[in-house]
Amino acid sequence: MHDSGTGSTAHPSRRTVLAATAGLTAALALTPESARAAGHDDARLTALISRMTLEEKVGQLFVMRVYGHSATDPDQADIDANLAEIGVRTAAELVAKYRVGGIIYFTWAHNTRTPHQIADLSNGIQQASLAQPRGLPVLIATDQEHGIVARVGRPATLFPGAMAIGAGGSRADARTLGRISGAELRALGIRQAYAPDADVNVNPANPVIGVRSFGADPDAVAGLVAAEVKGCQESGVAATVKHFPGHGDTAVDSHFGFPVITHSRELWEKLDAVPFRAAIRAGIDSIMTAHIMVPALDDSGDPATLSRPILTGILREELGYDGVVVTDSLGMEGVRQKYGDDRVPVLALKAGVDQLLNPPSLDLAWNAVLTAVRNGELTEARLDESLLRVLRLKAKLGLLDRPYVTADGVDRTVGTPGHLRTADRIADRTTTLLVNQRGLLPLSRRTHRRVLVVGADPASPSGTDGPPTTVLANALTALGFTATALSTGTAPTAAAIEKAVTAAGDADAVVVGTYNVTATSSQRTLVTRLAATGRPVVALAIRNPYDVAQLPDATACLASYSWTDVELRAAARAIAGRVRPRGRLPVPVPRADDPTQVLYPLGYGLSYQEYAGDLSYGP
């Protein structure tokens, strides 16, 4: 699967790898087998820590962004961005200057263009780090939740997101997702996935979690979280559950504000804590903190990321967790409102954090930690404690012995036909049918061959074809319909609505992709006007399933929980009757006129009486 223009992934010779890691392996004498068998060898890891300088120790606790597709030769625009934000030109210079222990990949930082390029970047970062005195391999991480949050896209395999998996309800599917996603990430040199989301989404107005959660039932969420964790970690990638102590009941986005969770301690135990306990029982490698205030757990007014009562008192001591704790991004407003950027990393370490993720200014944060140790606010022993956890994880993942990846590994693993077929089959178990008046669905090619597809076309999640209306129209056409796409947007104008109504005159049925419809949304007007034409209207909620409450005029309503290609194609197969809808609501849908009343309960979902049989899946 070589991608033109990226060159081939480097094959470092065994001699090169041994030379680069000679000092390290001499200090550790860990084979992959012994690392896996013992998990870690604390005496050897402690000996390694004792040889490190204070500056190296501080660097190892940071996980940083860096711009560019290459570790040594990024585009000029990325060099300029790195100089402006970090004071270095390249990823290689970043690891040389700050000795960072981790790097996080982002699509917008141009880290994730193609599989071979990602693997090359990973190898370049490892080579640069291991070339340093006492050089250590870097733990490379990314947010690969699937659904609406994924940094590695096509041609890698993309799965339905968490709430869709929640609708499918299969722990086996969650484990398969984790296993395949983990295997593909590992082949690219990414050894830490910031997934799955363990938040229990009980607030329909939650602007930041929503469909990133498996659902509203803590026991169901716990089962799916544990399954995905096991699958991911079976593939040799560290899973990371988030956002402790639970971000599921907020109406504020912690990227931009400071959410407060008003749950009592008892409610927290019954609701939010359940999936985190399950993840810990499943052997979770890392847990991410939340920039939220939970007064029942700590009434100091500090965010959980900076709370010793929450991170040490509850997570470490009460829940018995001794793995890696990583902060959510330190650039988010939720953690920056009370303290300055120089205080945040110091307070996070004092609270019990091990990895400091993506500070706005690495230089400021790195020097702040260094100063805190030198003036006695933090002890070097406290840094060593976190270093040991991070090194245990690197040893467990095999990074200390085999930090590099190969082109052959990419070709054998990433986006294989078998993986893609599996993703399609899992998606077919997630589409949820909520309304089906007069038995409109499955749509008949005899009576409703001409289909107009209109609706919202939000920016496509990473690496998907998009836009959604086009993907749906193409999928329906491939299934034997004559479908045309007309994008009307998330806030259709009067002109766009008129254009859609006119176009509906030439159609036998209309499919509308809806996106977070509210009482005042013009998407609602669009559906009402289309229904008034007399054409049957099929509404597909491509993000939050709560849309159905706002669309009483639709003839049929389904939920796909995301607008990635894999979920949209599955929805098209359900609409066409090639598969029957099997998803069940993983969250209750409240009534539009009285949100205290439930319109569709947890577990609700319709299906078809007759089942036409499955399509054969192509690669």
Side-chain angles (χ1 to χ4, degrees), residues 148-220:
I148 70 170
V149 177
R151 311 301 184 204
V152 178
R154 206 168 53 91
T157 307
L158 287 170
F159 286 90
M163 193 170 283
I165 299 296
S170 166
R171 294 181 184 184
D173 283 351
R175 191 162 184 162
T176 299
L177 182 162
R179 180 176 52 78
I180 291 175
S181 180
E184 295 199 8
L185 290 176
R186 188 180 172 94
L188 301 172
I190 299 168
R191 303 289 185 98
Q192 188 175 23
Y194 293 145
D197 192 303
D199 300 313
V200 182
N201 199 81
V202 293
N203 188 340
N206 195 323
V208 65
I209 305 301
V211 294
R212 297 168 61 194
S213 160
F214 287 109
D217 178 341
D219 293 324

Side-chain angles (χ1 to χ4, degrees), residues 315-328:
L315 182 57
R316 298 272 190 222
E317 295 169 2
E318 292 183 28
L319 302 189
Y321 176 68
D322 194 39
V324 169
V325 173
V326 57
T327 70
D328 206 341

Side-chain angles (χ1 to χ4, degrees), residues 306-598:
L306 309 182
S307 167
R308 187 169 176 83
I310 291 174
L311 299 187
T312 297
I314 295 176
L315 182 57
R316 298 272 190 222
E317 295 169 2
E318 292 183 28
L319 302 189
Y321 176 68
D322 194 39
V324 169
V325 173
V326 57
T327 70
D328 206 341
S329 169
L330 297 182
M332 292 165 58
E333 279 303 308
V335 80
R336 300 176 73 191
Q337 286 196 359
K338 189 174 176 182
Y339 301 101
D341 291 337
D342 58 334
R343 295 299 300 152
V344 165
V346 176
L347 294 171
L349 290 171
K350 289 174 79 170
V353 157
D354 302 306
Q355 289 185 307
L356 300 159
L357 177 61
N358 206 22
S361 167
L362 177 59
D363 194 64
L364 182 70
W366 187 87
N367 277 296
V369 175
L370 199 60
T371 301
V373 177
R374 286 180 174 153
N375 69 19
E377 184 179 6
L378 282 170
T379 64
E380 199 162 344
R382 170 66 192 87
L383 299 195
D384 293 351
E385 195 183 305
S386 284
L387 266 173
L388 183 58
R389 290 195 189 98
V390 172
L391 287 178
R392 281 175 184 164
L393 183 52
K394 289 182 179 183
K396 178 186 176 184
L397 298 173
L399 269 173
L400 300 182
D401 188 81
R402 295 189 179 176
Y404 295 107
V405 292
T406 65
D408 289 345
V410 173
D411 293 335
R412 279 196 311 271
T413 311
V414 179
T416 64
H419 287 179
L420 296 171
R421 282 194 295 271
T422 299
D424 277 334
R425 282 196 291 269
I426 288 174
D428 280 338
R429 295 190 270 273
T430 67
T431 309
T432 307
L433 178 63
L434 299 171
V435 176
N436 193 19
Q437 295 180 38
R438 302 186 296 280
L440 173 66
L441 299 182
L443 215 53
S444 165
R445 284 176 295 174
R446 291 187 298 277
T447 56
H448 298 95
R449 178 173 291 273
R450 295 171 302 165
V451 179
L452 172 67
V453 180
V454 302
D457 277 333
S460 204
S462 295
T464 57
D465 287 335
T469 52
T470 302
V471 173
L472 278 169
N474 289 344
L476 288 167
T477 296
L479 292 167
F481 295 87
T482 304
T484 55
L486 175 63
S487 177
T488 48
T490 53
T493 62
I497 291 171
E498 288 305 327
K499 190 173 180 181
V501 167
T502 301
D506 296 323
D508 301 314
V510 184
V511 173
V512 186
T514 67
Y515 183 94
N516 297 0
V517 182
T518 64
T520 58
S521 171
S522 55
Q523 292 181 71
R524 195 176 179 188
T525 308
L526 172 69
V527 170
T528 300
R529 290 287 310 281
L530 287 168
T533 66
R535 301 294 187 271
V537 174
V538 179
L540 173 66
I542 63 173
R543 185 166 179 168
N544 290 333
Y546 311 114
D547 287 5
V548 63
Q550 302 287 351
L551 304 172
D553 296 318
T555 318
C557 291
L558 306 99
S560 67
Y561 307 97
S562 180
W563 62 104
T564 53
D565 303 347
V566 70
E567 287 158 301
L568 294 175
R569 289 194 307 262
R573 289 192 290 272
I575 290 168
R578 296 301 179 93
V579 297
R580 58 188 171 89
R582 285 188 262 178
R584 298 289 181 266
L585 280 175
V587 291
V589 173
R591 289 175 52 139
D593 56 349
D594 182 1
T596 64
Q597 299 297 310
V598 171

Side-chain angles (χ1 to χ4, degrees), residues 120-138:
D120 282 338
L121 173 60
S122 299
N123 281 346
I125 287 169
Q126 300 297 4
Q127 197 167 3
S129 187
L130 291 166
Q132 302 304 312
R134 298 166 302 280
L136 286 164
V138 175

Side-chain angles (χ1 to χ4, degrees), residues 289-312:
T289 68
H291 305 324
I292 57 175
M293 188 181 6
V294 189
L297 305 184
D298 177 2
D299 61 5
S300 68
D302 286 345
T305 298
L306 309 182
S307 167
R308 187 169 176 83
I310 291 174
L311 299 187
T312 297

